[in-house]
Amino acid sequence: MSIKGEHLGDPLVALGDYLKNYRSEARHMLHKLQSLDRQFLLRSDLQDTFESVCAQPGCEHLRDTPLAKVVGWAQEAAIDAAWIYVALRARVARWRYIRIHFATIDPEVIPVEEFLKFKEGLVDGGDGRPAVDPRLVEVDLEPFSREFFKLHEARSIGRGVEFLNRRLSSRLFEELGKGDRRLLDFLRVHRHRDQQLMLSKDIEDVRAMRSALRMADDFLKRQNPKAGWDQVGQELRRLGFEPGWGADVSRVRDTIHLLLDILEAPSPDNLEAFLARIPMIFSVAIVSPHGWFGQSDVLGRPDTGGQVVYILDQVRALEAEMLRRNQEQGLDIEPRIVILTRLIPQADGTTANQRIERVAGTQFARILRVPFHNADGEVVPQWISRFEIWPYLERYATDAERELMAELSDRPDLIVGNYSDGNLVASLMAGDLGVTQCNIAHALEKTKYLYSDLFWRDNDPHYHFSCQFTADLIAMNQADFIITSTYQEIAGTDDTIGQYEAHSAFTLPGLYRVVHGIDPFDPKFNIVSPGADPDVYFPASERHRRLRHLLPEIEALIYGGSDGCSRGELSDRDKPLLFTMARMDRIKNIAGVVEWFGRSKALRREANLLVASGHIDPNRSLDNEEREQIERMHVLIDEYALEGELRWIEGQVDRERNGEIYRYIADKRGAFVQPAVFEAFGLTVIEAMGSGLPTFATCFGGPLEIIEDGVSGFHIDPNHGELAAEKIAAFFSRCKDDPSYWARISQGGIDRVEQRYTWKRYAERMMTLSRVYGFWRYVTDLERSETRRYLQMFYALQYRPLAAAMETT
Ligand code: UDP
Ligand code: LCN
């Protein structure tokens, strides 16, 4: 297929002509790429090579050619002796693939599978031969959604529910002409236990519904607007109404008007406003099996970080929102939220061995722990890394489903999965029970590790990505809707690939090839960002709320001497503190920031470094990666002689005190640094900002979206530590001359968190989304039974054997 025949837009067509006319420059560039002597090239390799060509005398003009444009789009390439294959991303989440033969220099457009096959041919298949297999299983979910509405504009990505309401409200009510009937049916299915809600079965058709609505409105307009259901319910029941329309006459009338308006002429806004009122979510199961799930003494342990914080805060906010909505609709129903996690008998001083635990700050929410069983049916007693849990999940799903049903005395109205394991279990349970499913990834692993797909065979003994990516594909396609914390989580930026987008096409050579895995333009994606608990992370300037009694402890923690739980003793107490806190994972790059600090005279002059992470003694760690990082920390502290300028304390498990630590450091005009190589969202970033601590955070992942550089904090590039250190040092230096600068950035961070990252807003959105997707699932074929069947097969034929193989090795 030649470029000329394709409608690809000018630059790519122009590339063909250009390469034909300027063969020597093209050859030069290709030769340079070949001489890198690597089969797989990253975007940065392609760009750096192009830059080096342009830098040669007489070659500057290349920057204005179609070649420059195409290099700008290139995300990756694969090379052998004769060909280069390039993946192009001209716009967010829009991909094209080309290949160029080194002899003819004639670019050709190729389908994605050709690109993937070529890469497979360059990978060792395990027996010394290339991994290419022309008959490899090809996973293609596109045909299932071909008929289905997709977004077109990149700027709409992550606003799925708005789009769905717009497109489907018109289709449902106008094109199909069946919408009214479906809406009526929908309003008659709602029940809570034995209580019928909204409409009684006596209303048999749309005409009867319209007439009942008008009669009810006539009746209600003569009543006291403040009168409750107990005063008007009898008459409304006679007309076919059941509870759930509102707590008083005025709200009931309002709800009736919304419905009449929809029947008259539906608009996306009134549809959403009406659905948001439907009492249909009384119980929610939140699934999060891996890690140490507890309310205290767990944070900072391996695999135990933001997800736990997120879920506990989410549950508190959701319960409050569910109570509020029930109340507004006049229903005295207790919302039930159950967090399903793993019971770990060897609990290491945590509550992970308790079957059931009440969630503090809620009235009805519970943590329900269910153990993993091995193939012989025995309970697995010890903690297991998130990379090793795959063989246990199917049995876990069956056990957890049974216990959940017993706890709720019914099936839940919504199942929310968390991370790859929770999302897979949620898929199994939601499939069994026919319940709406929501997924939250928190962090997908695929983009965290370079070539995690292509070289999966090498990684599998440690990471078992073959299981994880298979689970992810199943879960993300099975979910009714997906919540993400940021836009970039779905579709990246102009220059970087989104975490979900990275699952749209990839190959696990020798296992299967994904040609259409997930589409970022799918309307199931919704951005709903989490928050930072304002009771814990409030601004340092709110003096009356400060936890003064913690001051001596905090000072001892920061300025005390070395002991088994700390290293380093700060000799100059007048310097501001640069604080960092995270799990001691390689990706968090805590040792990285220590190295930048060690190397930067300017930064060492301006500030002390305070690190809260992991253990000081590597022998206290259960996790290989954590141990390796701890050892690196000790080497760096010795190498750069940091003892008097750095203080390293263990991971901090006390949330209230952590909030006060951020503020204590803010009092001293310090700053927070989040140096991760990649951070999916970054709760510490919004915690620090909300506490008024100016924050420097990685430009890879969520923080890029959270922080507006220079306004509400700063971005740093973890790949250029020296520049990051310079930027932080310059900030401290400027603040010395102009203290108002510190105050301005601090306030910028506080404002940003207040405006964008609150749990209240999160809970409102989540409750509305659950209703809207539940509705569309009911009235249309959003359930997509074909997709589900395909995924069941994929699960049985692909996931199960992979997980079973782990158990036998
Ligand atoms: N955290 C903590 N003590 C530690 C390290 C982290 O309390 O030693 C908390 C931190 O305050 C935040 C969460 O754990 O609430 C980490 O979430 P984040 O999203 O930053 O990263 P994750 O660990 O989820 O990758
Ligand atoms: C997991 C992560 O890695 C973080 O980036 C997120 O903030 C956290 O989960 C909560 O979603």
Side-chain angles (χ1 to χ4, degrees):
M1 203 188 308
S2 132
I3 291 233
K4 284 237 156 116
E6 287 286 302
H7 301 288
L8 287 171
D10 284 339
L12 213 47
V13 176
L15 176 72
D17 297 338
Y18 174 81
L19 294 183
K20 210 167 271 163
N21 297 327
Y22 294 87
R23 282 176 181 272
S24 71
E25 279 135 335
R27 283 224 162 83
H28 185 43
M29 168 84 186
L30 292 175
H31 176 73
K32 276 226 157 208
L33 291 173
Q34 251 183 337
S35 62
L36 293 175
D37 204 20
R38 298 214 331 250
Q39 292 172 312
F40 300 105
L41 301 176
L42 300 170
R43 175 173 168 74
S44 53
D45 299 321
L46 296 160
Q47 289 186 328
D48 292 351
T49 307
F50 182 66
E51 273 308 308
S52 73
V53 173
C54 294
Q56 288 173 0
C59 290
E60 299 90 38
H61 72 281
L62 286 176
R63 291 204 176 89
D64 295 319
T65 61
L67 184 59
K69 188 112 196 153
V70 173
V71 171
W73 293 346
Q75 289 297 325
E76 58 163 323
I79 292 191
D80 70 3
W83 292 96
I84 179 166
Y85 280 58
V86 191
L88 302 173
R89 185 177 179 264
R91 283 179 289 138
V92 166
R94 298 284 189 205
W95 290 81
R96 286 278 150 81
Y97 303 86
I98 59 167
R99 66 176 190 174
I100 303 173
H101 195 277
F102 288 121
T104 59
I105 318 234
D106 188 16
E108 275 177 73
V109 174
I110 50 165
V112 56
E113 48 271 39
E114 289 306 315
F115 178 74
L116 297 175
K117 278 184 202 163
F118 182 73
K119 291 209 293 187
E120 288 160 20
L122 301 176
V123 171
D124 179 0
D127 47 8
R129 284 176 305 165
V132 71
D133 172 358
R135 301 243 172 254
L136 192 67
V137 172
E138 231 165 54
V139 178
D140 185 356
L141 284 136
E142 236 255 311
F144 298 109
S145 59
R146 200 168 281 147
E147 301 299 308
F148 198 69
F149 296 121
K150 291 271 175 67
L151 314 167
H152 291 292
E153 297 303 322
R155 52 182 287 280
S156 306
I157 289 176
R159 292 175 13 214
V161 84
E162 289 169 40
F163 169 84
L164 209 60
N165 281 341
R166 270 203 309 272
R167 292 300 299 263
L168 292 185
S169 58
S170 56
R171 189 174 100 139
L172 190 71
F173 292 92
E174 285 161 27
E175 286 172 33
L176 301 182
K178 300 178 195 152
D180 298 355
R181 175 74 223 185
R182 291 191 188 181
L183 188 54
L184 166 65
D185 292 341
F186 179 71
L187 292 175
R188 297 190 317 173
V189 292
H190 300 294
R191 302 179 67 77
H192 179 256
R193 308 244 154 100
D194 299 331
Q195 186 181 10
Q196 178 70 26
L197 301 171
M198 299 305 286
L199 285 186
S200 86
K201 304 276 178 206
D202 300 343
I203 299 206
E204 280 175 352
D205 56 32
V206 177
R207 260 194 36 213
M209 174 166 73
R210 275 180 202 269
S211 125
L213 287 168
R214 287 187 204 115
M215 284 194 283
D217 195 32
D218 278 347
F219 161 69
L220 290 171
K221 87 178 147 202
R222 296 190 301 273
Q223 309 303 312
N224 174 358
K226 295 264 172 288
W229 180 265
D230 47 344
Q231 287 151 282
V232 294
Q234 201 181 359
E235 175 61 13
L236 289 178
R237 271 217 159 96
R238 206 184 54 74
L239 294 170
F241 289 82
E242 297 289 342
W245 291 81
D248 58 25
V249 164
S250 133
R251 184 141 179 116
V252 174
R253 282 193 74 201
D254 215 40
T255 312
I256 287 176
H257 293 166
L258 274 173
L259 180 54
L260 282 168
D261 287 349
I262 291 168
L263 294 172
E264 184 83 352
S267 79
D269 289 345
N270 61 19
L271 188 62
E272 183 173 316
F274 177 69
L275 291 177
R277 293 180 179 204
I278 305 258
M280 56 192 275
I281 310 285
F282 301 110
S283 60
V284 181
I286 297 189
V287 191
S288 178
H290 80 260
W292 300 90
F293 200 105
Q295 304 190 66
S296 56
D297 296 332
V298 294
L299 291 181
R301 286 170 182 257
D303 293 353
T304 310
Q307 184 169 323
V308 175
V309 176
Y310 181 118
I311 292 173
L312 290 170
D313 282 349
Q314 173 200 40
V315 163
R316 287 186 266 269
L318 284 181
E319 187 187 270
E321 180 64 17
M322 287 162 84
L323 274 166
R324 185 183 72 80
R325 290 195 186 207
N326 284 352
Q327 233 166 36
E328 274 180 358
Q329 294 315 109
L331 298 172
D332 184 18
I333 295 176
E334 293 173 0
R336 302 288 307 274
I337 304 181
V338 175
I339 302 169
L340 274 171
T341 188
R342 184 189 157 206
L343 185 142
I344 311 174
Q346 291 171 3
D348 197 25
T350 70
T351 54
N353 56 356
Q354 286 180 21
R355 182 179 172 276
I356 196 121
E357 200 181 325
R358 198 176 74 78
V359 178
T362 68
Q363 294 181 51
F364 312 107
R366 299 281 182 272
I367 300 171
L368 174 61
R369 297 192 181 86
V370 178
F372 281 174
H373 286 97
N374 65 20
D376 296 328
E378 294 152 351
V379 168
V380 180
Q382 76 283 11
W383 171 80
I384 294 177
S385 144
R386 72 185 190 279
F387 296 120
E388 307 282 340
I389 51 176
W390 308 106
Y392 306 102
L393 295 183
E394 185 173 321
R395 288 186 289 268
Y396 178 81
T398 309
D399 296 345
E401 190 176 307
R402 194 183 52 246
E403 296 212 23
L404 176 71
M405 296 283 282
E407 177 65 20
L408 293 175
S409 318
D410 200 351
R411 56 180 202 169
D413 300 313
L414 172 70
I415 298 183
V416 185
N418 292 273
Y419 190 68
S420 308
D421 57 339
N423 288 329
L424 184 73
V425 172
S427 305
L428 296 173
M429 288 175 35
D432 289 348
L433 301 173
V435 168
T436 306
Q437 177 192 344
C438 163
N439 282 11
I440 304 173
H442 296 282
L444 291 160
E445 298 294 339
K446 192 163 169 296
T447 43
K448 285 193 195 166
Y449 299 78
L450 192 59
Y451 301 127
S452 54
D453 44 9
L454 213 47
F455 297 112
W456 68 274
R457 269 184 215 284
D458 302 337
N459 286 319
D460 241 34
H462 295 299
Y463 292 115
H464 303 286
F465 286 145
S466 59
C467 278
Q468 183 149 11
F469 299 168
T470 308
D472 284 336
L473 269 180
I474 293 169
M476 55 183 77
N477 280 289
Q478 177 108 354
D480 294 292
F481 68 106
I482 295 177
I483 284 183
T484 72
S485 298
T486 59
Y487 178 96
Q488 64 79 36
E489 186 178 337
I490 313 169
T493 63
D494 284 347
D495 305 316
T496 59
I497 303 170
Q499 293 177 65
Y500 279 99
E501 185 184 2
H503 294 74
S504 53
F506 63 97
T507 180
L508 302 180
L511 193 61
Y512 58 82
R513 179 186 304 132
V514 180
V515 295
H516 284 111
I518 187 79
D519 186 350
F521 290 90
D522 194 309
K524 68 168 66 176
F525 286 108
N526 286 281
I527 304 164
V528 188
S529 305
D533 185 343
D535 290 336
V536 179
Y537 307 105
F538 55 84
S541 55
E542 295 185 11
R543 301 264 150 217
H544 59 288
R545 300 176 66 191
R546 299 288 297 269
L547 312 177
R548 295 203 184 287
H549 62 284
L550 294 177
L551 205 65
E553 282 174 36
I554 292 176
E555 295 209 315
L557 207 57
I558 299 178
Y559 295 110
S562 289
D563 54 30
C565 304
S566 65
R567 187 171 173 196
E569 190 172 333
L570 302 175
S571 51
D572 181 353
R573 290 180 65 146
D574 291 334
K575 279 190 198 170
L577 290 157
L578 176 62
F579 179 40
T580 190
M581 175 168 74
R583 287 178 294 116
M584 187 68 90
D585 249 21
R586 189 187 55 79
I587 200 108
K588 295 288 183 186
N589 202 23
I590 295 294
V593 83
V594 170
E595 188 161 17
W596 310 344
F597 181 74
R599 287 194 176 167
S600 168
K601 278 201 188 112
L603 188 51
R604 288 172 73 165
R605 202 173 46 238
E606 296 294 340
N608 288 318
L609 181 62
L610 174 67
V611 176
S613 185
H615 296 286
I616 311 299
D617 176 0
N619 297 321
R620 290 193 52 209
S621 171
L622 295 171
D623 186 78
N624 292 340
E625 199 169 290
E626 188 180 60
R627 252 193 320 271
E628 177 209 307
Q629 292 295 306
I630 293 172
E631 274 152 13
R632 179 144 181 256
M633 287 281 289
H634 287 294
V635 170
L636 289 169
I637 295 173
D638 292 340
E639 187 179 334
Y640 292 102
L642 294 174
E643 285 278 358
E645 296 157 65
L646 169 148
R647 172 87 171 154
W648 173 20
I649 53 178
E650 290 196 316
Q652 295 299 301
V653 292
D654 184 337
R655 254 181 115 201
E656 301 282 332
R657 193 169 77 180
N658 287 350
E660 202 50 39
I661 292 178
Y662 288 122
R663 287 186 291 271
Y664 179 86
I665 296 167
D667 291 342
K668 299 196 161 286
R669 293 295 188 256
F672 185 75
V673 57
Q674 211 284 12
V677 177
F678 178 81
E679 186 62 63
F681 180 69
L683 288 175
T684 53
V685 174
I686 56 171
E687 291 167 0
M689 288 163 68
S691 307
L693 194 53
T695 298
F696 293 79
T698 180
C699 61
F700 295 112
L704 185 70
E705 235 167 284
I706 300 173
I707 292 174
E708 310 129 296
D709 192 41
V711 178
S712 43
F714 301 93
H715 298 147
I716 48 169
D717 181 347
N719 298 319
H720 293 104
E722 66 301 341
L723 295 181
E726 243 173 59
K727 189 165 178 176
I728 304 171
F731 168 78
F732 281 122
S733 161
R734 178 165 170 189
C735 292
K736 265 196 311 212
D737 299 339
D738 173 12
S740 72
Y741 186 54
W742 186 95
R744 199 158 74 235
I745 300 294
S746 162
Q747 193 58 46
I750 294 168
D751 294 345
R752 180 78 172 164
V753 171
E754 270 175 14
Q755 281 153 17
R756 298 278 287 260
Y757 303 103
T758 73
W759 282 113
K760 187 167 176 348
R761 195 169 311 122
Y762 176 102
E764 281 164 13
R765 207 60 211 139
M766 170 105 173
M767 279 296 110
T768 298
L769 292 183
S770 326
R771 285 163 168 79
V772 173
Y773 281 94
F775 170 70
W776 289 120
R777 192 182 140 99
Y778 181 84
V779 297
T780 69
D781 189 28
L782 272 196
E783 205 169 335
R784 291 185 277 187
S785 47
E786 302 88 338
T787 321
R788 282 178 201 274
R789 282 290 177 209
Y790 181 81
L791 294 172
Q792 273 167 1
M793 194 153 67
F794 191 49
Y795 175 83
L797 300 180
Q798 199 63 256
Y799 176 83
R800 262 188 166 174
L802 286 168
M806 273 182 72
E807 201 155 34
T808 51
T809 50

